[in-house]
C-alpha cells in the first residue's frame, strides 16, 4: 500500500503517514526500522505494510516507494 509521510520524530523513529484518502495512520519505531530507512521527510511517498483491520490495523513496515 502507498502513503505519504506526514510526520516523523527522529528521537523515537515514529510518526504518521497519510493514506491516499487523507486518513492519518501512526507508525512506531519498529515499523520504521523494518524498512531500513535512516530518516523520513514529510511529503515523501512511502510504501507501507499493515496487519489487522479497522481500529486494530497497524503499520508493520515503512519504506520508500520505488518504481
Amino acid at each position: 500500500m502507498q502513503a505519504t509521510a506526514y510526520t516523523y520524530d527522529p528521537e523515537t523513529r515514529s510518526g504518521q503517514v497519510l493514506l491516499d484518502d487523507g486518513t492519518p495512520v501512526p507508525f512506531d519505531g519498529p515499523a520504521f526500522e523494518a524498512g531500513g530507512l535512516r530518516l523520513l521527510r514529510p511529503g515523501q511517498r512511502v510504501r507501507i505494510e499493515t496487519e489487522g483491520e479497522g481500529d486494530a490495523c497497524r503499520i508493520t513496515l515503512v519504506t520508500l516507494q520505488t518504481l
Side-chain angles (χ1 to χ4, degrees):
M1 178 183 312
Q2 296 181 31
T4 302
Y6 182 51
T7 64
Y8 175 67
D9 179 356
E11 293 291 319
T12 62
R13 301 178 71 87
S14 63
Q16 289 183 317
V17 298
L18 292 177
L19 301 182
D20 289 342
D21 68 1
T23 304
V25 181
F27 63 87
D28 57 15
F32 181 81
E33 292 166 8
L37 300 176
R38 294 202 265 173
L39 68 102
L40 192 61
R41 290 184 300 265
Q44 282 183 298
R45 246 348 233 179
V46 295
R47 184 175 67 85
I48 60 172
E49 292 182 8
T50 61
E51 67 180 20
E53 295 181 20
D55 290 341
C57 181
R58 71 180 197 90
I59 296 175
T60 59
L61 174 104
V62 178
T63 191
L64 291 181
Q65 176 63 34
T66 58
L67 299 175

